[in-house]
Amino acid sequence: MNVLSHRDPDVAAMIEDEETRQVETLELIASENYASAGVLEATGSVLTNKYSEGYPGKRYYAGNQHADRIESLAIDRARELFGAEHANVQPTSGAEANMAAYLAFVNPGDTIMGMELSQGGHLTHGSPVNFSGRFYNFVPYSVDRETETVDMDEVRRVARETKPKIIVSGATAYPRTVDFDAFADIAKEVGALLMADMSHIAGLVAGGAHPSPVPHADIVTTTTHKTLRGPRGALALCKSDHAEALDKAVFPGTQGGPHMHTIAAKAVAFGEALSPEFKHYARQVVENAVAFGEALQEGGLRLVSGGTDNHLLLADCNTKGISGLKAQNALQGAGIITNRNTIPYDERSAYVTSGLRLGTAALTSRQMGTDEMRRVAKWINRVLDDPDGEGVRETVRQEVAEFARTYPVPGISDR
Ligand SMILES: *Cc1c(COP(=O)(O)O)cnc(C)c1O
């Protein structure tokens, strides 16, 4: 903030406040993480100045010799990281990657199958308030009431009945392993393309801690800023025979100039994810989530599906007699940052909710292990057992801040 603190002290001060917040609170939002100093440096580079519409070697503007090298490197690293035949590194967000995927392979009004939003699916998997639900005929699949996991027989039944052109696998609030192999089988049977949206689990896939959808799916989309620890953005992968359709759907289909500064940062993040340390990170994220889940349950908090296989937990706040909204707010007061979320067959609205979504990706990036996760779980149970108790909240907030300050934050502590 050296330059900014002189030229625009207002904005500089706000960014510094945000840095302090990130250092002194415990980040448990499952879709968030800390990008490295290298990723942040690339994101803040002069590449933001450059227009590069088109693809490497085929641009619509001059002066792209270095942009070409950077985008080609990002593509090569993405393909290596995920073992993919083709990569498009231009999507600016997960939502836009999904928009491009639909545009590439189906027409407005066509049938697509996706996981019900209230059960863990994403807005772009057919919510009526999203472009996906308005432009396409989305049919939902849900989780089993008893096991609270995706029932592949039900997926097969809905697919046979509705004959979708695309089946979307992957979710935004699902704590269990996604069986991409079984999805591929069903897609094949009904003549659908299989799309895997691995936005949440991409880092686990990259690090070998979740089975990869890449061998099974025709197209794979993902954000780059969640478990993958890269810049805010996205990536789409596909088999070679779909490459042309996908590239055209990203540009000129849905986007203009690519964000070359973010693409450089994606290259940096893919490089980091290719390192042996990242494999260790991915495994630790899952180990931490399992230990965290056990400790939360010991304190009386029920977990949807009884636990987790990945980085994410979905807690049922009904077991504490409160809503997700109330839990989220009480925890925020104690410096523990989460987001409320519906649970399967939730009786509360999508605004109030009965659930709390928790993830271990960010705290694991701060080098926390299972002991730390058990400590965090105790604080959470303490606050949720007395959600109106200002004294408890204030005590926990101070303990949390003191604790959190001793763990490095990538991108802040190592600049
Ligand atoms: C986060 C997420 C997205 C959207 O990503 P944005 O970058 O926020 O647009 C799409 N799909 C899934 C499954 C996600 O978890």
Side-chain angles (χ1 to χ4, degrees):
M1 292 298 117
N2 275 343
V3 176
L4 209 54
S5 55
H6 292 108
R7 303 218 179 133
D8 193 333
D10 294 338
V11 173
M14 291 177 205
I15 295 175
E16 269 168 37
D17 286 347
E18 172 62 12
E19 281 189 11
T20 306
R21 188 192 71 80
Q22 292 190 15
V23 169
E24 293 187 349
T25 59
L26 294 174
E27 184 52 70
L28 287 163
I29 293 174
S31 48
E32 294 189 12
N33 212 328
Y34 302 102
S36 69
V39 166
L40 294 180
E41 196 172 317
T43 309
S45 70
V46 294
L47 287 161
T48 199
N49 300 336
K50 191 68 200 108
Y51 246 108
S52 311
E53 282 185 357
Y55 289 101
K58 288 175 291 183
R59 304 287 188 187
Y60 290 81
Y61 295 76
N64 272 303
Q65 58 271 43
H66 307 302
D68 276 4
R69 289 163 59 212
I70 288 165
E71 184 167 350
S72 299
L73 181 64
I75 290 168
D76 289 347
R77 288 184 178 173
R79 290 182 53 220
E80 184 186 347
L81 184 61
F82 293 107
E85 290 177 16
H86 179 74
N88 187 310
V89 296
Q90 294 193 3
T92 49
S93 72
E96 275 160 308
N98 288 350
M99 184 183 262
Y102 303 147
L103 184 76
F105 302 110
V106 293
N107 291 311
D110 282 350
T111 299
I112 309 180
M113 212 174 120
M115 192 170 181
E116 171 91 45
L117 172 72
S118 63
Q119 308 230 334
H122 189 258
L123 276 170
T124 55
H125 299 179
S127 162
V129 299
N130 183 259
F131 81 93
S132 55
R134 293 186 58 180
F135 293 172
Y136 303 101
N137 174 40
F138 260 88
V139 290
Y141 58 90
S142 19
V143 300
D144 180 78
R145 263 181 194 276
E146 287 305 308
T147 61
E148 296 173 309
T149 58
V150 174
D151 173 358
M152 295 313 294
D153 293 335
E154 149 90 353
V155 172
R156 191 181 299 273
R157 186 187 63 73
V158 178
R160 278 179 179 160
E161 217 172 85
T162 59
K163 294 268 179 292
K165 291 204 168 154
I166 299 179
I167 296 177
V168 183
S169 56
T172 202
Y174 187 65
R176 294 299 182 177
T177 301
V178 179
D179 190 346
F180 295 115
D181 197 3
F183 268 105
D185 223 49
I186 295 168
K188 204 175 209 174
E189 184 193 320
V190 302
L193 290 175
L194 178 64
M195 174 170 151
D197 179 349
M198 61 168 183
S199 288
H200 259 268
I201 54 170
L204 306 184
V205 170
H210 187 291
S212 173
V214 173
H216 307 291
D218 295 285
I219 173 159
V220 177
T221 58
T222 181
T223 54
T224 46
H225 49 276
K226 296 179 182 173
T227 50
L228 196 51
R229 279 173 81 170
R232 186 154 296 269
L235 163 74
L237 307 165
C238 66
K239 310 269 189 225
S240 307
D241 48 345
H242 297 312
E244 199 186 326
L246 175 68
D247 285 353
K248 277 190 178 149
V250 174
F251 173 84
T254 50
Q255 293 187 177
H259 296 186
M260 204 49 71
H261 56 306
T262 315
I263 290 173
K266 287 174 196 173
V268 174
F270 300 152
E272 290 172 355
L274 279 163
S275 71
E277 296 85 68
F278 198 85
K279 284 199 171 53
H280 176 260
Y281 167 72
R283 274 199 302 274
Q284 190 66 49
V285 167
V286 178
E287 249 178 66
N288 281 354
V290 171
F292 189 36
E294 283 166 7
L296 288 167
Q297 285 172 304
E298 280 162 23
L301 199 56
R302 188 183 84 83
L303 297 181
V304 168
S305 84
T308 182
D309 301 324
N310 57 27
H311 64 301
L312 177 156
L313 304 139
L314 198 55
D316 178 358
C317 299
N318 288 319
T319 49
K320 297 280 185 188
I322 57 175
S323 69
L325 177 61
K326 183 147 190 169
Q328 176 193 306
N329 288 339
L331 289 169
Q332 172 167 275
I336 298 170
I337 310 304
T338 64
N339 73 277
R340 64 187 184 280
N341 209 100
T342 51
I343 58 173
Y345 308 100
D346 206 322
E347 285 172 7
R348 290 188 167 98
S349 72
Y351 187 78
V352 178
T353 81
S354 299
L356 201 61
R357 193 181 65 158
L358 304 160
T360 53
L363 293 191
T364 309
S365 296
R366 293 182 80 168
Q367 324 241 341
M368 292 190 194
T370 50
D371 288 344
E372 284 87 350
M373 295 319 301
R374 280 188 275 268
R375 207 158 156 199
V376 175
K378 279 207 177 111
W379 276 316
I380 290 176
N381 275 314
R382 226 164 107 194
V383 172
L384 297 188
D385 284 334
D386 188 6
D388 296 314
E390 277 174 35
V392 172
R393 219 176 312 158
E394 183 51 26
T395 310
V396 173
R397 192 189 64 75
Q398 285 174 17
E399 287 173 15
V400 159
E402 196 183 326
F403 169 83
R405 272 195 292 266
T406 62
Y407 290 85
V409 178
I412 298 178
S413 314
D414 57 351
R415 260 179 324 202

